[in-house]
Amino acid sequence: MRQQELGGEVLLDLSVDTCGRVTQARVKRGSGHPSLDEAALVAARRWVLNPADRARAAGGRIEVPLAFGMERPKIYAYGPHGWPKSHKRVRYVQDVLPGYESPQQVLDRYPLDPASMITPPYPSLRSMFFRQRSDPDEYWLFVYLQGEPRMATRYRLGSVGDEPVVRVAYLCDATPATCEQDRKMIMRGLPFARAR
């Protein structure tokens, strides 16, 4: 159903016993999708109602709406990187992401807020690259392997004195050898902003 992006609401008519167990379930109003209606029935037949719903069940019957929905993903148009000219040929400095141990933790907990999605710099890798809405300028690269985030890299643009630098925080969730190989690639710089 998720793959088919089906959604709708089913109104169920339920019979319940005195303990709140559903003894019978039928569709009073369908969703328009037989597979959703059937999924609602299968789920309802396993339910035990909470005390508040049991109290609403007049004569052992209650109508319950069940909504199936899909949260629409945000759609971003890919655009140019907008990397400043001052940071086209710079020194890359290793940085840390305190409190994060894996790329998945970054996705789950870091306050990511993409200002613009950017065409990924490594076309042969399944990845996501974006400019973060933040000050200082911050870019993120996530690389995926078999649908899981394997690498998270934060590029924070700044300067040391008058020298422009890119501070790179890198997390990898792969074998040590693979992570070291990826770290070396990252520290060589992005294709449009090579390290010097």
Coordinates of all heavy atoms in Angstrom, one line a residue, residues 14 16 53-63:
L14 N -17.8 -1.9 14.8 CA -17.2 -3.0 15.6 C -18.2 -3.5 16.7 O -18.9 -2.7 17.3 CB -16.0 -2.5 16.3 CG -14.9 -1.8 15.4 CD1 -13.8 -1.3 16.3 CD2 -14.4 -2.8 14.4
V16 N -18.0 -5.4 20.3 CA -17.0 -5.7 21.4 C -17.7 -6.4 22.5 O -18.8 -6.2 22.8 CB -16.3 -4.4 21.8 CG1 -15.6 -3.7 20.7 CG2 -17.3 -3.4 22.4
D53 N -13.1 4.2 25.1 CA -13.8 3.7 23.9 C -14.9 2.7 24.3 O -15.9 2.6 23.7 CB -12.9 3.2 22.9 CG -12.1 4.3 22.2 OD1 -12.6 5.4 22.1 OD2 -11.0 4.0 21.7
R54 N -14.5 1.8 25.3 CA -15.5 0.8 25.8 C -16.8 1.5 26.3 O -17.9 1.1 26.1 CB -14.9 0.0 26.9 CG -14.1 -1.2 26.4 CD -14.0 -2.3 27.4 NE -13.4 -1.8 28.7 CZ -12.1 -1.9 29.0 NH1 -11.2 -2.3 28.1 NH2 -11.7 -1.5 30.2
A55 N -16.6 2.7 27.0 CA -17.7 3.4 27.6 C -18.6 4.0 26.4 O -19.8 4.1 26.6 CB -17.2 4.5 28.5
R56 N -18.0 4.3 25.3 CA -18.8 4.8 24.2 C -19.5 3.7 23.4 O -20.3 4.0 22.6 CB -17.8 5.5 23.2 CG -17.3 6.9 23.7 CD -16.5 7.6 22.6 NE -16.6 6.9 21.3 CZ -15.7 6.9 20.4 NH1 -14.6 7.6 20.5 NH2 -15.8 6.2 19.3
A57 N -19.1 2.5 23.6 CA -19.7 1.4 22.9 C -21.1 1.1 23.4 O -21.2 0.3 24.4 CB -18.8 0.2 22.9
A58 N -22.1 1.7 22.8 CA -23.5 1.5 23.2 C -23.9 0.1 22.8 O -23.9 -0.2 21.6 CB -24.4 2.5 22.7
G59 N -24.4 -0.7 23.7 CA -24.9 -2.1 23.4 C -23.8 -2.9 22.8 O -24.2 -3.8 22.0
G60 N -22.6 -2.7 23.1 CA -21.5 -3.5 22.6 C -21.1 -3.2 21.1 O -20.4 -4.0 20.5
R61 N -21.5 -2.0 20.6 CA -21.2 -1.6 19.2 C -20.6 -0.2 19.3 O -21.0 0.6 20.0 CB -22.4 -1.7 18.3 CG -23.0 -3.0 18.2 CD -24.1 -3.1 17.1 NE -23.5 -3.1 15.8 CZ -23.1 -4.2 15.2 NH1 -23.0 -5.3 15.8 NH2 -22.6 -4.1 14.0
I62 N -19.6 0.0 18.4 CA -19.0 1.3 18.2 C -18.5 1.5 16.8 O -18.2 0.5 16.1 CB -17.8 1.5 19.2 CG1 -17.3 2.9 19.2 CG2 -16.7 0.4 18.9 CD1 -16.3 3.2 20.3
E63 N -18.6 2.7 16.3 CA -18.1 3.0 15.0 C -16.8 3.7 15.2 O -16.6 4.6 16.0 CB -19.0 3.9 14.2 CG -20.3 3.2 13.8 CD -21.2 4.1 13.0 OE1 -20.9 5.3 12.7 OE2 -22.3 3.6 12.6

